[in-house]
Amino acid sequence: MSMEKVKTGIDGLDVMLNGGIPKGHAFTVMGAFGTGKTTFSLQYIWEGLQQGESGIFITLEEDKNAMIETGLSYGWDFRKYIEDEQLAVEKLTPADAEATIQKIKSDLPKFIKNFDAERIAIDSISLLNMLAETPREKRDQLFALSKMIKDTGATALLTAEVKDDNPESSRDGLIEYTADGVILLRYNETKTGEVQLSIQVKKMRRINHSREIKPFVITDHGIDVQVDGTVF
Amino acid sequence: MSMEKVKTGIDGLDVMLNGGIPKGHAFTVMGAFGTGKTTFSLQYIWEGLQQGESGIFITLEEDKNAMIETGLSYGWDFRKYIEDEQLAVEKLTPADAEATIQKIKSDLPKFIKNFDAERIAIDSISLLNMLAETPREKRDQLFALSKMIKDTGATALLTAEVKDDNPESSRDGLIEYTADGVILLRYNETKTGEVQLSIQVKKMRRINHSREIKPFVITDHGIDVQVDGTVF
Amino acid sequence: MSMEKVKTGIDGLDVMLNGGIPKGHAFTVMGAFGTGKTTFSLQYIWEGLQQGESGIFITLEEDKNAMIETGLSYGWDFRKYIEDEQLAVEKLTPADAEATIQKIKSDLPKFIKNFDAERIAIDSISLLNMLAETPREKRDQLFALSKMIKDTGATALLTAEVKDDNPESSRDGLIEYTADGVILLRYNETKTGEVQLSIQVKKMRRINHSREIKPFVITDHGIDVQVDGTVF
Amino acid sequence: MSMEKVKTGIDGLDVMLNGGIPKGHAFTVMGAFGTGKTTFSLQYIWEGLQQGESGIFITLEEDKNAMIETGLSYGWDFRKYIEDEQLAVEKLTPADAEATIQKIKSDLPKFIKNFDAERIAIDSISLLNMLAETPREKRDQLFALSKMIKDTGATALLTAEVKDDNPESSRDGLIEYTADGVILLRYNETKTGEVQLSIQVKKMRRINHSREIKPFVITDHGIDVQVDGTVF
Amino acid sequence: MSMEKVKTGIDGLDVMLNGGIPKGHAFTVMGAFGTGKTTFSLQYIWEGLQQGESGIFITLEEDKNAMIETGLSYGWDFRKYIEDEQLAVEKLTPADAEATIQKIKSDLPKFIKNFDAERIAIDSISLLNMLAETPREKRDQLFALSKMIKDTGATALLTAEVKDDNPESSRDGLIEYTADGVILLRYNETKTGEVQLSIQVKKMRRINHSREIKPFVITDHGIDVQVDGTVF
Amino acid sequence: MSMEKVKTGIDGLDVMLNGGIPKGHAFTVMGAFGTGKTTFSLQYIWEGLQQGESGIFITLEEDKNAMIETGLSYGWDFRKYIEDEQLAVEKLTPADAEATIQKIKSDLPKFIKNFDAERIAIDSISLLNMLAETPREKRDQLFALSKMIKDTGATALLTAEVKDDNPESSRDGLIEYTADGVILLRYNETKTGEVQLSIQVKKMRRINHSREIKPFVITDHGIDVQVDGTVF
């Protein structure tokens, strides 16, 4: 049985994934601060736009203008796609927890459903989940959000922050189990003070993928995975 | 005294188990995300179907269609067995915690009893247990579920997620003690960025089994344990 | 002053203990899942039966039939001893916490007192203690149980599970201090994927004992400690 | 697209940052006690004053006089800038938690807005956040403060203390994710008892920066980053 | 100024202590289960009796008969000293927490005051402190007990259990700070499975003492510290 | 600008500090039990007395007589200074938490203000802080105490106990951030069982100080830092 794949826009990663993310998957990109999760999200959405696909970018970290500026710094001009309504950017405001939770419970599902996006990126699911008060609320919110996104049929990327003391586990320790795939971004430090970023596909349901850890760099054109390189 | 064994469908593992799982055991397959627990469960159920045995697959992670597609990606077509009612697939919905808990308390026991399955797989017991609110509820639910499953006489596989900081302990730290057996799946990383999966029978009541750690791969035909190789 | 000793049924261990367990001691056998605690308990009771001593086996993990079958797998046929009322098997049901706690508070003490056993084994004290709700209840229950058992004058073995992150400490961190002795069972993994079990007498009041760590195997005839070998 | 940069006053660091901090960023300087966070803040504000920029220094650790004396010990005489109202120093008093929280909710935002500073330094955000009682209050206060500062358009430095057991994570584990940049100061000890301080740009949105770890010293003229040296 | 010293009865340790424990000190002997804390306490009391000093032994772990038997196993016959009222043995019963706490609040202080002992041993202070419910009760009880003992002028030994994950810290993490001295007993394991016990004077107020770690053995005559040996 | 310094009385340390502690600083001496914190405090006060400065010694660990005896064991006779009212010794009684807290809120501030001491030592701030019940009370008490001490203008030494699992962090994890300086005392153990004490100036505001780790010994004349040696 042949399976439809969605390209991430990061060539080396698509090789590791045997062609891309299975269409309809909700996958997570996990990593500590500074490992390039926001860049990954933007690159993923940009790739879709180039393929003619529509996208929704939901951001809690930067506002719309900052997101556009960040894109421009990589040579990706999101403005025309926003004008053409091929791309929607939704800013959630963590400083107003109640309003944000209300929004993701009512307006956002309707909006996402109506927009009929092929790609969705949420940056970040951890910050969103931090707004829920109790473990139960966090859990229920995550399950509800996952279900809502899966029901749209879009291929969705959710960035997640990792635990301080365990860079292979998400803050809530839940998304990696419920997600269809987990791509892990890591910081590696050598004893001489050099630092290398690395990427690994820890999990991707329904496809055979590489499990190797590969180095990557963030250039003026975004993330570039060196599929032939090794990590220290 | 000779003991009846149930083949897991993973040849190398059956060698490690001296023939298979003792009939009637409830055993757990523990591992981090991406170690192949879902694949193991499907392979276990598929093996039973090939032997003419009936099975129930209880899933919290993927829905019925996704489960069928995942099977197909390994060449296992579960559809005809579902039609023939040799296989029942039960989807529990973690997004609706209350309904799910109600279901596993009343409908599911009746259903399992009536279906009279020879094999049961629950994927995953950790996600199910996460729906219970308090430690006491978790404990009582796990004991009740274990007892219910044992009373059916089926040979049952329960997948369990591991602790973030201890890949040899289940999330609740309980199932490994109450289960009749524990099969551990692990991620091993080399310094050059390569990754190897390994399997170990940590515990299996009433039989003499290997305790060695053996490498395995996930191929297009499922899990393949290399019983002659060594890890690290 | 000469001291009466009770043989464990594991020859190598009896050598390490300078003859056996001091009569009347309540000692604990601690270890992770899969290290052979249940086998140890059965072997201990079986040894007593062969010496003409009476015994009580209190089990929370397996039911009576499973316990008998496990014994048979080692060549120990407990059935005739049960019939002759030289051995009593008491099954406690963790799925019914309240009834179990009630039982260990009232019926069990009377029963143990009347049966007048020379050996008692409880498998496991950790699972029993898990039924108590609060730390205070756990502590009080453990103290009361210890006292009740000591008052019988029987030599008692209590199996205990260890902490996930510390294989030398019991779950409650208490039994090792209140017990008269602690025998520790451990899993050791080599870098080539081999696994070896080891045993150590960490504490045994009133006798001079070896403190060395010795390897052991579980054979078709139970636990066999290799007193001349070394570990690692 | 060219981006406006703000010099930190630490030449070596400005090289690592490819010119400086992007204008308008709110970035954090994280490190254990004794790594030079206060010195960094003063140097940052001093640099601005030399460039003719206005600044606000909000201090919880030292009072105004102590801050002035500390500056003098590095040869930075803040007094005339305070007189000229090019620099405002605001002392918050953690001994009076309620008054301080009230102040940062009402007076401080107005003051900051009116002063129209180009640079702001808060030393430290961790001490400030310690005054909030519950995790929710801490989170809400941090989000509100971040938003208030971002809205001013000033380029802001927030010093943050690190976890005792993880010198790469802030006390609250939050600021590193919400901040636009993270500069990490670390203590490195050699086996011969020597100690070296090191600096690393862990994250800086929208620019390509070095991720190397570089040694630095604190001299009579402030922090001096040795960009050609290596650590360890 | 010359200082009066109290011999511990362990010759090698007295050398490490430069003659013994300063008279009137309340010191703690800390160690994991099985490191010989009870043996140490008995040896300390026995030494006093041989010097013609009176003593009180307060035990929570073993009852009076067991304590006497343990003494006999080392060749120390405490019976005649009990008869002659040179030694008092007080058994506290942790199974009855309330009665025990009441006792140490009222009867015990009076008894200790009247008996006018020169040496006191409490085995163990950790078990005693476990009976207090809240951290505050634990703290207050420990401070009150310390004060009561100090006021008697006796030289007092308090055994303390250590943390599971830190064999150099007491359970409550408090007694090592309030005590006038800390003697630490440790388990050391070699890679070949051998085990060695070691002793160290971590703290002893008002005297110059060795801080070296020395091996010891438990023989038929009690603890024997090898002051010329080294630990690994 | 020249800065007035206060000698610690430990010559080697004064070299590391480039002359001494800046006048008016409140600094902490942190270390585990047995590292010489009390000796340091006494030596610091003694040095002041020799310089003709007045001092207050606030003790929670030992009573006045014990403090005097400890001083005598180092050859420091505090008695005449107490008689001459150049030294005040204040004993706080942790066994009476409420009275002690009341005292440090009302009587002590007045007393300290009136006595007009040039040096203050509190041994220990951790024990004092342990008397506060809630984290908030602990925090508020510490901030209030710090402020009160700073307002006197005295140069103050506060001893602090460290975390069990982190000998570089204080119990409350707060004093090292609020203090003007941190001097760390450490235990170093070699593999042959030898133990060495070491000292490090982790932080000292407003001066350039050595950050090296230097060994020290406790002799009959107090702490002696060997500034030319190296540790490990």
Side-chain angles (χ1 to χ4, degrees):
Chain A
M1 191 181 86
S2 115
M3 192 177 296
E4 211 173 335
K5 299 274 183 63
V6 167
K7 289 209 175 303
T8 61
I10 302 167
D11 295 343
L13 177 60
D14 287 335
V15 171
M16 293 165 76
L17 286 166
N18 242 324
I21 306 285
K23 201 175 163 165
H25 264 29
F27 68 105
T28 188
V29 172
M30 273 177 25
F33 60 93
T35 51
K37 296 186 302 293
T38 299
T39 303
F40 192 121
S41 315
L42 294 174
Q43 192 159 353
Y44 172 75
I45 290 295
W46 179 256
E47 173 69 18
L49 298 173
Q50 303 316 299
Q51 308 278 350
E53 301 169 19
S54 58
I56 298 177
F57 190 81
I58 300 167
T59 173
L60 286 93
E61 307 218 340
E62 298 195 287
D63 63 25
K64 198 170 177 169
N65 286 338
M67 177 262 182
I68 287 169
E69 276 189 59
T70 303
L72 285 170
S73 75
Y74 292 113
W76 309 322
D77 191 343
F78 289 109
R79 287 171 299 190
K80 56 178 174 173
Y81 298 96
I82 295 172
E83 278 167 36
D84 296 351
E85 299 192 338
Q86 189 183 341
L87 170 64
V89 177
E90 192 68 34
K91 166 68 181 163
L92 298 179
T93 310
D96 189 350
E98 235 165 291
T100 297
I101 284 181
Q102 201 46 44
K103 201 171 186 177
I104 64 169
K105 274 194 183 151
S106 58
D107 295 355
L108 201 64
K110 282 181 217 154
F111 175 75
I112 289 176
K113 204 172 174 181
N114 290 338
F115 196 87
D116 195 25
E118 282 158 287
R119 298 190 184 212
I120 297 174
I122 302 184
D123 184 30
S124 72
I125 195 77
S126 304
L127 220 52
L128 189 57
N129 221 19
M130 201 175 285
L131 303 180
E133 292 300 321
T134 66
R136 178 180 187 162
E137 277 172 37
K138 283 178 200 291
R139 184 200 68 194
D140 288 352
Q141 181 182 287
L142 192 67
F143 281 135
L145 198 72
S146 295
K147 193 172 181 313
M148 185 260 280
I149 286 171
K150 283 222 170 183
D151 288 351
T152 66
T155 311
L157 182 167
L158 315 173
T159 68
E161 271 112 45
V162 293
K163 290 206 170 85
D164 296 331
D165 55 353
N166 186 350
E168 303 198 18
S169 172
S170 77
R171 284 266 164 134
D172 293 310
L174 187 50
I175 186 75
E176 54 267 52
Y177 286 100
T178 59
D180 292 313
V182 176
I183 293 169
L184 186 64
L185 308 182
R186 269 190 287 204
Y187 244 100
N188 309 296
E189 298 183 2
T190 68
K191 293 192 174 178
T192 54
E194 279 166 72
V195 169
Q196 202 175 39
L197 296 165
S198 72
I199 191 168
Q200 183 185 19
V201 183
K202 290 283 281 187
K203 166 182 172 181
M204 196 55 68
R205 282 189 179 135
R206 226 164 305 157
I207 61 165
N208 243 327
H209 57 86
S210 164
R211 288 170 190 271
E212 291 193 8
I213 302 165
K214 291 294 178 192
F216 73 91
V217 289
I218 306 182
T219 72
D220 286 346
H221 301 90
I223 290 174
D224 184 17
V225 174
Q226 296 148 311
V227 285
D228 297 328
T230 53
V231 182
F232 304 141
Chain B
M1 191 179 87
S2 112
M3 194 177 294
E4 211 173 336
K5 300 275 183 62
V6 167
K7 290 207 175 306
T8 61
I10 302 167
D11 294 344
L13 176 60
D14 288 334
V15 170
M16 293 165 76
L17 286 165
N18 241 325
I21 306 286
K23 200 174 164 172
H25 264 28
F27 67 106
T28 188
V29 172
M30 273 176 25
F33 61 92
T35 52
K37 295 186 303 294
T38 299
T39 303
F40 192 121
S41 315
L42 294 174
Q43 193 160 352
Y44 173 74
I45 290 295
W46 179 255
E47 174 69 18
L49 299 173
Q50 303 316 300
Q51 308 278 349
E53 301 168 18
S54 57
I56 299 177
F57 191 82
I58 300 168
T59 174
L60 286 94
E61 306 219 340
E62 297 196 287
D63 64 25
K64 198 170 179 170
N65 287 338
M67 177 262 183
I68 288 169
E69 276 189 59
T70 303
L72 286 170
S73 76
Y74 291 114
W76 309 323
D77 191 343
F78 288 109
R79 289 171 298 190
K80 55 178 176 174
Y81 297 96
I82 295 172
E83 278 166 35
D84 297 351
E85 298 193 338
Q86 190 183 339
L87 171 63
V89 177
E90 192 69 31
K91 167 68 181 163
L92 297 180
T93 310
D96 189 350
E98 236 166 291
T100 297
I101 284 181
Q102 201 46 45
K103 202 171 185 177
I104 64 168
K105 275 194 183 149
S106 58
D107 295 356
L108 201 64
K110 282 181 216 153
F111 175 76
I112 289 176
K113 203 171 175 182
N114 290 337
F115 195 86
D116 194 26
E118 283 159 289
R119 297 189 184 212
I120 297 174
I122 303 184
D123 184 31
S124 72
I125 195 77
S126 303
L127 220 52
L128 190 56
N129 220 20
M130 201 176 285
L131 304 180
E133 292 300 321
T134 66
R136 177 179 189 163
E137 277 172 36
K138 282 178 200 292
R139 184 200 69 195
D140 289 352
Q141 182 182 284
L142 192 67
F143 281 135
L145 200 72
S146 295
K147 192 172 183 311
M148 185 260 280
I149 285 171
K150 283 223 171 182
D151 288 351
T152 66
T155 310
L157 183 168
L158 315 173
T159 68
E161 270 112 46
V162 293
K163 290 207 170 83
D164 296 330
D165 55 353
N166 186 350
E168 303 198 18
S169 172
S170 77
R171 285 267 164 133
D172 294 308
L174 187 52
I175 186 75
E176 54 268 52
Y177 286 99
T178 59
D180 292 312
V182 176
I183 293 169
L184 186 64
L185 308 182
R186 268 190 287 204
Y187 244 100
N188 309 297
E189 298 184 1
T190 68
K191 293 191 175 179
T192 52
E194 280 166 71
V195 169
Q196 205 175 37
L197 295 165
S198 72
I199 191 168
Q200 183 185 19
V201 182
K202 289 283 280 188
K203 166 182 174 181
M204 195 56 67
R205 282 191 178 133
R206 224 163 307 155
I207 62 165
N208 243 326
H209 56 86
S210 164
R211 287 169 191 273
E212 290 193 11
I213 302 165
K214 291 295 177 189
F216 73 90
V217 290
I218 306 181
T219 72
D220 286 346
H221 301 90
I223 290 174
D224 185 17
V225 174
Q226 296 148 312
V227 283
D228 297 328
T230 54
V231 193
F232 306 117
Chain C
M1 190 181 85
S2 112
M3 194 177 293
E4 211 174 333
K5 298 275 183 63
V6 166
K7 290 209 175 303
T8 62
I10 302 167
D11 295 344
L13 176 61
D14 287 334
V15 170
M16 294 165 76
L17 286 166
N18 241 325
I21 307 286
K23 198 170 170 185
H25 264 28
F27 68 105
T28 188
V29 173
M30 274 177 23
F33 60 93
T35 52
K37 295 187 303 292
T38 299
T39 302
F40 192 120
S41 315
L42 294 173
Q43 194 160 351
Y44 173 74
I45 290 294
W46 179 255
E47 174 68 19
L49 298 174
Q50 303 315 300
Q51 308 278 350
E53 300 168 18
S54 58
I56 298 178
F57 190 82
I58 300 168
T59 173
L60 286 94
E61 306 218 339
E62 297 195 288
D63 63 26
K64 197 170 179 171
N65 288 337
M67 177 262 182
I68 288 170
E69 275 189 60
T70 303
L72 285 170
S73 76
Y74 292 115
W76 308 323
D77 191 343
F78 288 109
R79 289 172 297 190
K80 54 177 176 173
Y81 298 95
I82 296 173
E83 278 166 36
D84 297 351
E85 298 193 339
Q86 191 183 340
L87 170 63
V89 177
E90 193 68 33
K91 166 68 181 164
L92 298 179
T93 310
D96 189 350
E98 237 167 290
T100 296
I101 284 181
Q102 201 46 44
K103 201 170 185 176
I104 64 169
K105 274 193 183 153
S106 58
D107 296 355
L108 202 62
K110 283 181 216 152
F111 175 76
I112 289 176
K113 205 173 174 180
N114 290 337
F115 196 86
D116 194 27
E118 283 159 287
R119 296 188 185 213
I120 297 175
I122 302 184
D123 184 32
S124 73
I125 195 76
S126 304
L127 220 52
L128 189 57
N129 220 19
M130 201 175 285
L131 303 180
E133 293 300 322
T134 66
R136 178 180 187 161
E137 277 172 35
K138 283 179 200 290
R139 185 200 67 194
D140 289 352
Q141 182 181 285
L142 193 66
F143 280 136
L145 199 72
S146 294
K147 192 171 182 313
M148 184 260 280
I149 285 171
K150 283 222 171 182
D151 289 349
T152 66
T155 311
L157 183 167
L158 314 173
T159 67
E161 270 112 45
V162 292
K163 290 207 170 83
D164 296 330
D165 55 353
N166 186 350
E168 304 197 18
S169 171
S170 78
R171 285 267 163 133
D172 293 310
L174 186 51
I175 187 75
E176 54 268 52
Y177 286 98
T178 60
D180 292 311
V182 176
I183 293 169
L184 186 64
L185 307 182
R186 268 189 288 204
Y187 243 101
N188 308 297
E189 298 184 1
T190 68
K191 292 193 174 179
T192 53
E194 281 165 71
V195 169
Q196 204 175 37
L197 296 165
S198 72
I199 191 168
Q200 183 185 19
V201 182
K202 290 283 280 188
K203 165 183 175 182
M204 194 58 66
R205 282 187 179 137
R206 224 164 305 157
I207 62 164
N208 243 325
H209 56 86
S210 164
R211 288 169 190 273
E212 290 194 10
I213 302 166
K214 291 295 178 189
F216 74 90
V217 289
I218 306 181
T219 71
D220 287 346
H221 301 89
I223 290 174
D224 184 16
V225 174
Q226 295 149 314
V227 285
D228 296 329
T230 53
V231 193
F232 306 119
Chain D
M1 193 181 85
S2 115
M3 193 177 294
E4 211 172 335
K5 297 273 183 65
V6 167
K7 290 210 176 302
T8 61
I10 302 166
D11 295 345
L13 176 60
D14 287 334
V15 171
M16 292 166 75
L17 285 166
N18 243 324
I21 306 285
K23 201 175 164 168
H25 265 28
F27 68 104
T28 188
V29 173
M30 274 177 23
F33 60 94
T35 52
K37 296 186 303 292
T38 298
T39 302
F40 192 121
S41 315
L42 294 173
Q43 193 159 352
Y44 172 75
I45 291 295
W46 180 255
E47 173 69 19
L49 299 173
Q50 303 316 300
Q51 308 278 349
E53 301 169 18
S54 58
I56 299 177
F57 190 82
I58 300 168
T59 172
L60 287 92
E61 306 218 339
E62 297 195 287
D63 63 25
K64 198 169 178 171
N65 287 338
M67 178 261 184
I68 287 169
E69 276 189 59
T70 303
L72 286 170
S73 75
Y74 292 113
W76 307 324
D77 190 344
F78 289 109
R79 288 171 298 189
K80 54 177 175 173
Y81 298 96
I82 295 173
E83 278 165 37
D84 297 350
E85 298 193 340
Q86 190 182 340
L87 170 64
V89 177
E90 193 67 33
K91 165 69 181 162
L92 298 180
T93 310
D96 189 351
E98 236 165 292
T100 297
I101 285 181
Q102 202 46 44
K103 201 171 186 177
I104 64 169
K105 274 192 183 152
S106 57
D107 294 356
L108 201 64
K110 281 180 218 152
F111 175 76
I112 290 176
K113 206 173 172 180
N114 290 336
F115 196 87
D116 195 26
E118 281 158 289
R119 296 190 186 211
I120 297 174
I122 302 183
D123 184 32
S124 73
I125 194 77
S126 303
L127 220 51
L128 189 58
N129 221 18
M130 202 177 285
L131 303 180
E133 293 300 322
T134 67
R136 178 179 187 162
E137 277 172 36
K138 284 179 200 289
R139 184 200 68 194
D140 289 352
Q141 181 182 286
L142 192 67
F143 281 135
L145 198 72
S146 296
K147 194 171 181 313
M148 185 260 280
I149 286 171
K150 284 221 169 182
D151 288 351
T152 66
T155 311
L157 182 167
L158 315 174
T159 68
E161 270 112 45
V162 292
K163 290 207 170 84
D164 296 330
D165 54 353
N166 186 351
E168 303 198 18
S169 172
S170 77
R171 285 266 164 132
D172 293 310
L174 187 51
I175 186 75
E176 55 267 52
Y177 285 98
T178 60
D180 291 313
V182 176
I183 292 170
L184 187 63
L185 307 181
R186 267 188 288 202
Y187 243 101
N188 309 297
E189 298 184 359
T190 68
K191 293 194 176 178
T192 53
E194 280 166 71
V195 169
Q196 204 173 37
L197 295 165
S198 72
I199 192 168
Q200 184 184 20
V201 183
K202 290 283 282 188
K203 165 182 172 181
M204 196 57 68
R205 281 190 180 135
R206 226 165 304 156
I207 62 165
N208 242 326
H209 56 87
S210 164
R211 289 170 190 271
E212 291 195 8
I213 301 165
K214 291 294 179 192
F216 73 91
V217 289
I218 305 182
T219 72
D220 286 345
H221 301 89
I223 290 174
D224 184 16
V225 174
Q226 297 148 311
V227 285
D228 296 329
T230 54
V231 193
F232 309 117
Chain E
M1 190 181 85
S2 114
M3 192 177 295
E4 211 174 334
K5 298 275 182 65
V6 167
K7 290 210 174 303
T8 62
I10 302 167
D11 295 344
L13 176 60
D14 288 334
V15 171
M16 294 165 76
L17 286 166
N18 241 324
I21 306 286
K23 200 171 167 180
H25 263 28
F27 68 105
T28 189
V29 173
M30 274 177 24
F33 59 93
T35 52
K37 294 187 303 293
T38 298
T39 302
F40 193 120
S41 316
L42 293 174
Q43 193 160 353
Y44 173 74
I45 291 294
W46 179 255
E47 174 68 17
L49 297 174
Q50 303 315 300
Q51 309 278 348
E53 301 168 18
S54 58
I56 298 177
F57 190 83
I58 300 168
T59 173
L60 287 93
E61 305 218 340
E62 297 196 287
D63 63 27
K64 198 171 179 171
N65 287 337
M67 177 262 182
I68 288 169
E69 276 188 59
T70 303
L72 285 170
S73 75
Y74 292 114
W76 308 323
D77 191 343
F78 289 109
R79 287 171 298 189
K80 54 179 176 174
Y81 298 96
I82 296 173
E83 277 166 36
D84 298 351
E85 296 192 341
Q86 191 183 339
L87 170 63
V89 177
E90 194 66 34
K91 165 67 181 165
L92 298 179
T93 310
D96 189 349
E98 238 167 289
T100 296
I101 285 181
Q102 201 47 43
K103 202 170 185 176
I104 64 169
K105 274 192 183 153
S106 58
D107 296 354
L108 202 62
K110 284 181 217 153
F111 175 76
I112 289 176
K113 205 173 174 181
N114 290 336
F115 195 86
D116 194 26
E118 283 158 286
R119 297 190 185 212
I120 297 174
I122 302 184
D123 185 31
S124 74
I125 195 77
S126 303
L127 220 52
L128 189 59
N129 220 19
M130 202 175 282
L131 303 180
E133 293 301 321
T134 66
R136 178 180 187 161
E137 277 172 35
K138 284 179 201 289
R139 185 200 68 194
D140 289 352
Q141 181 182 285
L142 193 66
F143 281 135
L145 199 71
S146 295
K147 193 171 181 313
M148 185 260 282
I149 286 171
K150 285 222 171 182
D151 288 350
T152 66
T155 311
L157 182 168
L158 315 173
T159 67
E161 270 112 46
V162 293
K163 290 207 171 82
D164 296 330
D165 54 353
N166 186 351
E168 304 198 16
S169 170
S170 78
R171 285 267 163 133
D172 294 310
L174 186 51
I175 186 75
E176 53 268 52
Y177 286 99
T178 61
D180 292 311
V182 177
I183 293 170
L184 186 63
L185 307 182
R186 267 188 289 204
Y187 243 101
N188 307 296
E189 298 184 1
T190 67
K191 293 193 175 178
T192 53
E194 279 166 72
V195 169
Q196 203 175 39
L197 295 165
S198 72
I199 191 168
Q200 183 184 20
V201 183
K202 291 283 279 189
K203 165 182 174 181
M204 194 58 65
R205 282 189 179 136
R206 228 165 301 159
I207 61 165
N208 243 326
H209 56 86
S210 165
R211 290 171 189 272
E212 291 194 8
I213 302 166
K214 291 295 179 190
F216 73 92
V217 290
I218 305 181
T219 71
D220 286 347
H221 301 88
I223 289 175
D224 184 17
V225 173
Q226 296 148 313
V227 286
D228 296 329
T230 53
V231 182
F232 307 136
Chain F
M1 192 180 85
S2 113
M3 193 176 295
E4 211 173 336
K5 298 273 183 66
V6 167
K7 289 210 176 303
T8 62
I10 302 167
D11 295 344
L13 177 60
D14 287 335
V15 171
M16 293 166 76
L17 286 166
N18 242 324
I21 306 285
K23 201 174 164 173
H25 264 28
F27 68 105
T28 189
V29 173
M30 273 177 22
F33 58 94
T35 52
K37 295 187 303 292
T38 299
T39 303
F40 193 122
S41 315
L42 294 174
Q43 193 160 353
Y44 172 75
I45 290 295
W46 179 255
E47 173 69 19
L49 298 174
Q50 303 316 300
Q51 309 278 349
E53 300 168 18
S54 58
I56 298 177
F57 190 83
I58 299 168
T59 172
L60 288 92
E61 307 219 339
E62 297 196 286
D63 63 25
K64 199 170 178 171
N65 288 337
M67 178 261 183
I68 288 170
E69 276 189 58
T70 303
L72 286 170
S73 75
Y74 292 114
W76 308 323
D77 190 343
F78 288 109
R79 288 171 298 188
K80 53 178 177 173
Y81 298 96
I82 295 174
E83 278 164 37
D84 297 351
E85 297 193 342
Q86 189 182 341
L87 170 64
V89 177
E90 194 66 35
K91 164 69 182 164
L92 298 180
T93 311
D96 188 349
E98 236 165 291
T100 297
I101 285 181
Q102 201 47 42
K103 201 170 185 176
I104 64 170
K105 275 193 183 151
S106 59
D107 295 354
L108 202 63
K110 282 180 217 154
F111 175 76
I112 290 176
K113 206 172 174 180
N114 290 337
F115 195 86
D116 194 27
E118 282 158 288
R119 296 190 185 211
I120 297 174
I122 302 184
D123 183 32
S124 74
I125 195 76
S126 303
L127 220 52
L128 189 58
N129 220 19
M130 202 176 284
L131 303 180
E133 293 300 321
T134 66
R136 178 179 188 163
E137 278 172 35
K138 284 179 201 290
R139 185 200 69 195
D140 289 352
Q141 180 181 286
L142 193 67
F143 281 135
L145 198 72
S146 296
K147 193 171 180 314
M148 185 260 281
I149 286 171
K150 284 222 170 182
D151 288 351
T152 66
T155 311
L157 183 168
L158 314 173
T159 68
E161 270 112 46
V162 292
K163 290 207 170 86
D164 296 329
D165 54 353
N166 187 350
E168 303 198 17
S169 172
S170 77
R171 285 266 164 134
D172 293 309
L174 186 51
I175 186 75
E176 55 267 52
Y177 285 98
T178 61
D180 292 311
V182 177
I183 293 170
L184 186 63
L185 307 182
R186 267 188 287 202
Y187 243 102
N188 308 298
E189 297 183 1
T190 67
K191 293 193 176 178
T192 53
E194 279 166 72
V195 169
Q196 205 174 37
L197 295 165
S198 72
I199 191 167
Q200 184 184 20
V201 183
K202 290 283 282 189
K203 165 182 174 181
M204 195 57 67
R205 282 191 179 133
R206 229 166 301 157
I207 62 164
N208 243 326
H209 56 86
S210 164
R211 290 170 189 272
E212 290 194 11
I213 302 165
K214 291 295 179 192
F216 73 91
V217 290
I218 305 181
T219 72
D220 286 346
H221 301 89
I223 290 174
D224 183 17
V225 174
Q226 297 149 311
V227 285
D228 296 329
T230 54
V231 194
F232 308 119

